[in-house]
Amino acid sequence: MRSDNVKKGLNRTSHRSLLRACGLDDDDMKKPFIGIANSYTDVVPGHMHLKDLVEVVKEEVLKNGGIPFEFDTMAVCDGIAMNHEGMRYSLPSREIIANTVESMAMAHQFDALILMPTCDKVVPGMLMAAARLNIPAIVITGGPMMPGKLNGEVIDFINVTEAVGAVQSGKMSEEELYELECAACPGPGSCAGLFTANTMACLTETLGMSLPGCATAHAVSDHKVEVARQSAKQIFKLLEDDIKPSDILTQEAFENAIIVDLALGGSTNTTLHIPAIANEVDDVDVTIDLFDKLSHQIPYICSIRPGGHNHMIDVENAGGIPGVMKNLESLMHTDCMTVTAETVKENLEDVCDVNYDVIHTIEEPVRDEGGIAVLYGNVAPNGCVIKQGAVNEDMLVHSGPCKVFNSEEEAVVAIENDEIIDGDVVVIRYEGPKGGPGMREMLNPTAAIMGRELFHVALITDGRFSGGSRGPCVGHISPEAAAGGPIGAIKDGDIVSINVPERTINLEVDDAEIQERLKDVKPVERNLKGWLRQYQQLATSADKGAVLK
């Protein structure tokens, strides 16, 4: 066993002495050591229930003859970190999480890992660590929260963010907003729509790193408890058969994940996280170009919030991710290995109870193309992304005058002062991985625009978007302004044209003029210290997954 490095032989006597202080005896020294990476915290709704769920996992590990060692890693709630300096730490936390899990697993030589994430950066961070370590591992994502209810309507967190803009523009009273605030998030779990956390859970299951049904098993459900119990039991099968992440995280598995992502209309943050996970695996090549190639081939078959009206509970009741994959089976690589110790094809053999009103067939999709599109042009030579599944048909092609801001805060003030009108293109720059630093999510500006019912305003940024953003929002513009990207040359009044069907985004200014303007651009400087300063020095661009180099 790998753990023999810390518990076997004369030279490990002192190690055993310390392990005995943790409560182990002679028999325990003969058992596999199972590391349990728990991201429990009191301040994040998606993680608060993991304190209880981990006890189920530890009990099952003991029952099956292993020794569970729980350790904690961090979790940032993007909703709470939104629209202030704290959001700069959200994306960088992914790297801390990956490094924490790697450090604990290497220092203590665990034989296998059970990973328990829920929210946006924690899921990819733990998957990055699993790929890097390449020891048997299984993921138990924490599960969605139930949607809220108010006056007979089903609601969620995004209703609240957009309602703030409605109040500011006089379309809703503060009393109505308060009722919404109190009802939208009724308990533990990741926010109830197909935002980033739930998208990543769905893709973890599709990759084969969590058990079928795990992604949509809700945080407070008996189903989630049973999935956790079965996952803890299954880690011993992975150990016995020596099935490691490298056996599961293949090129074909990543393509499957992108196929499901496009079919669901998932968060654009996946174009950061999937390449970042793939970056940890040898002989795998995943870029945003792969997303774009597949987006022309894969239909959008699930209309889930924010792009539609359904919530994750509807997907769970309709058949979950196994139901989605069953409908996409003819388009997927079905010979991929999974943590069930069986292939995708074998996992799908008994899947038959699918609600086609929620999970459409590929013959009768919601839309013919996948939910994410990658655009190129003189604004974004290295590409940018848009969640086309959450854009109204009449805004898939748009051209308008720019209103340019060098930070999220500046843009929000202009929106709140009614300086943005229908037809405008809002430009927010110096919010990329280096320029931010940390590539903040622009949920507040997009929600403010939608709350004011400015449905014909586009927003482009070298920052990124919450999985809950909707509308013509173009993010991840690469190169970013801080790296000398052309977005830094845009001036107020310039015309930017966006054509999603043709996959283009262009500034209607001569290329020579753009280059001349860039000579005079002075990047925004920030007084940084600590972790953010280190991150800024190491972060790559969004089209590379914003990984550290």
Side-chain angles (χ1 to χ4, degrees):
M1 287 185 287
R2 187 170 182 267
S3 58
D4 287 347
N5 288 326
V6 297
K7 67 185 183 185
K8 188 174 182 180
L10 180 65
N11 289 334
R12 299 297 181 262
T13 303
S14 58
H15 302 60
R16 291 192 297 274
S17 181
L18 292 167
L19 289 167
R20 291 181 192 280
C22 297
L24 274 64
D25 59 23
D26 287 347
D27 286 340
D28 294 333
M29 301 295 180
K30 302 171 187 176
K31 299 174 182 178
F33 285 6
I34 310 298
I36 304 173
N38 188 6
S39 52
Y40 159 75
T41 170
D42 282 333
V43 76
V44 183
H47 297 247
M48 55 194 290
H49 64 298
L50 297 180
K51 185 175 186 178
D52 295 326
L53 195 63
V54 75
E55 295 304 319
V56 175
V57 173
K58 290 159 74 173
E59 178 185 344
E60 195 66 27
V61 169
L62 287 168
K63 187 185 300 183
N64 282 272
I67 303 298
F69 288 101
E70 179 188 356
F71 62 93
D72 294 326
T73 185
M74 65 178 296
V76 169
C77 178
D78 279 16
I80 297 173
M82 197 73 66
N83 194 33
H84 58 83
E85 287 297 303
M87 177 48 73
R88 301 192 193 283
Y89 289 85
S90 174
L91 182 59
S93 75
R94 184 186 72 183
E95 317 308 315
I96 296 175
I97 292 157
N99 293 341
T100 298
V101 175
E102 176 193 358
S103 298
M104 289 295 290
M106 291 301 295
H108 304 101
Q109 293 292 288
F110 297 134
D111 295 298
L113 284 173
I114 298 173
L115 306 168
M116 299 183 66
T118 303
C119 288
D120 302 28
K121 313 308 167 301
V122 192
V123 179
M126 288 194 180
L127 284 171
M128 289 165 68
R132 193 181 297 171
L133 290 160
N134 201 32
I135 61 175
I138 194 166
V139 182
I140 307 168
T141 49
M145 93 174 37
M146 296 297 293
K149 292 183 179 179
L150 181 64
N151 300 325
E153 297 289 328
V154 179
I155 57 173
D156 57 48
F157 173 69
I158 299 304
N159 292 99
V160 183
T161 63
E162 294 185 359
V164 172
V167 170
Q168 291 170 339
S169 60
K171 295 180 172 62
M172 178 184 283
S173 70
E174 290 192 29
E175 290 74 18
E176 290 172 314
L177 177 61
Y178 179 72
E179 289 183 3
L180 194 60
E181 171 192 335
C182 294
C185 301
S190 46
C191 296
L194 189 67
F195 315 139
T196 305
N198 288 328
T199 302
M200 285 308 304
C202 293
L203 303 194
T204 301
E205 183 176 327
T206 306
L207 281 167
M209 288 298 294
S210 60
L211 290 181
C214 181
T216 60
H218 276 53
V220 294
S221 67
D222 291 341
H223 186 193
K224 179 58 70 181
V225 173
E226 184 57 26
V227 168
R229 194 182 308 281
Q230 292 302 321
S231 298
K233 182 177 180 180
Q234 187 64 16
I235 196 66
F236 293 92
K237 175 65 173 174
L238 298 176
L239 261 174
E240 180 184 347
D241 293 353
D242 194 29
I243 297 174
K244 300 184 290 293
S246 60
D247 300 311
I248 296 170
L249 297 174
T250 62
Q251 180 72 32
E252 292 76 16
F254 282 106
E255 290 180 10
N256 282 346
I258 295 172
I259 287 168
V260 169
D261 186 16
L262 294 167
L264 291 173
S267 166
T268 52
N269 281 316
T270 59
T271 64
L272 294 170
H273 299 323
I274 295 300
I277 299 163
N279 184 63
E280 303 288 347
V281 183
D282 294 333
D283 302 321
V284 167
D285 182 26
V286 177
T287 66
I288 59 172
D289 290 334
L290 182 56
F291 281 80
D292 190 51
K293 174 186 173 183
L294 291 172
S295 73
H296 293 283
Q297 304 169 16
I298 305 302
Y300 173 39
I301 65 170
C302 284
S303 182
I304 314 169
R305 290 272 292 162
H309 61 278
N310 290 316
H311 288 85
M312 294 305 294
I313 190 64
D314 301 302
V315 181
E316 163 79 340
N317 294 335
I321 295 306
V324 173
M325 293 175 70
K326 187 69 173 181
N327 275 9
L328 296 167
E329 189 172 9
S330 63
L331 303 174
M332 299 182 70
H333 306 285
T334 58
D335 58 348
C336 295
M337 178 56 64
T338 74
V339 291
T340 64
E342 296 184 331
T343 64
V344 170
K345 184 177 182 62
E346 290 171 316
N347 291 343
L348 296 178
E349 281 178 358
D350 297 328
V351 176
C352 57
D353 187 15
V354 179
N355 181 342
Y356 298 111
D357 291 330
V358 176
I359 304 171
H360 292 229
T361 64
I362 59 175
E363 292 79 19
E364 296 183 7
V366 178
R367 292 189 186 179
D368 292 334
E369 286 193 348
I372 294 174
V374 180
L375 314 183
Y376 291 90
N378 64 6
V379 172
N382 295 345
C384 56
V385 298
I386 183 169
K387 189 173 184 176
Q388 65 173 340
V391 181
N392 290 338
E393 296 275 358
D394 64 345
M395 283 299 289
L396 290 173
V397 177
H398 178 73
S399 182
C402 293
K403 292 189 176 163
V404 183
F405 307 96
N406 287 337
S407 71
E408 176 189 2
E409 287 83 359
E410 293 175 19
V412 170
V413 169
I415 296 166
E416 291 179 348
N417 289 339
D418 297 320
E419 296 171 22
I420 307 303
I421 61 173
D422 265 334
D424 283 345
V425 176
V426 176
V427 180
I428 305 177
R429 61 195 180 192
Y430 296 104
E431 291 288 5
K434 287 184 178 292
M439 205 178 181
R440 289 192 290 179
E441 289 185 345
M442 301 292 121
L443 177 60
N444 202 58
T446 61
I449 288 169
M450 284 294 161
R452 284 167 171 72
E453 299 181 2
L454 295 171
F455 299 131
H456 295 91
V457 169
L459 191 154
I460 71 172
T461 181
D462 52 9
R464 60 194 179 92
F465 295 108
S466 162
S469 290
R470 62 188 177 106
C473 308
V474 182
H476 305 202
I477 287 179
S478 301
E480 61 177 293
I487 188 175
I490 301 176
K491 295 182 178 181
D492 284 332
D494 284 345
I495 303 299
V496 162
S497 297
I498 302 165
N499 191 317
V500 177
E502 294 185 4
R503 303 296 197 265
T504 60
I505 180 168
N506 284 299
L507 174 62
E508 302 300 326
V509 172
D510 181 81
D511 286 348
E513 170 67 16
I514 293 174
Q515 294 306 313
E516 195 62 32
R517 289 183 186 182
L518 286 172
K519 293 178 183 178
D520 298 325
V521 169
K522 295 181 180 179
V524 173
E525 294 185 4
R526 306 194 192 280
N527 183 22
L528 299 173
K529 59 183 179 180
W531 166 227
L532 284 186
R533 184 177 179 182
Q534 297 173 44
Y535 182 84
Q536 184 182 59
Q537 293 170 347
L538 299 174
T540 58
S541 64
D543 64 298
K544 304 297 184 187
V547 297
L548 304 188
K549 291 289 187 181

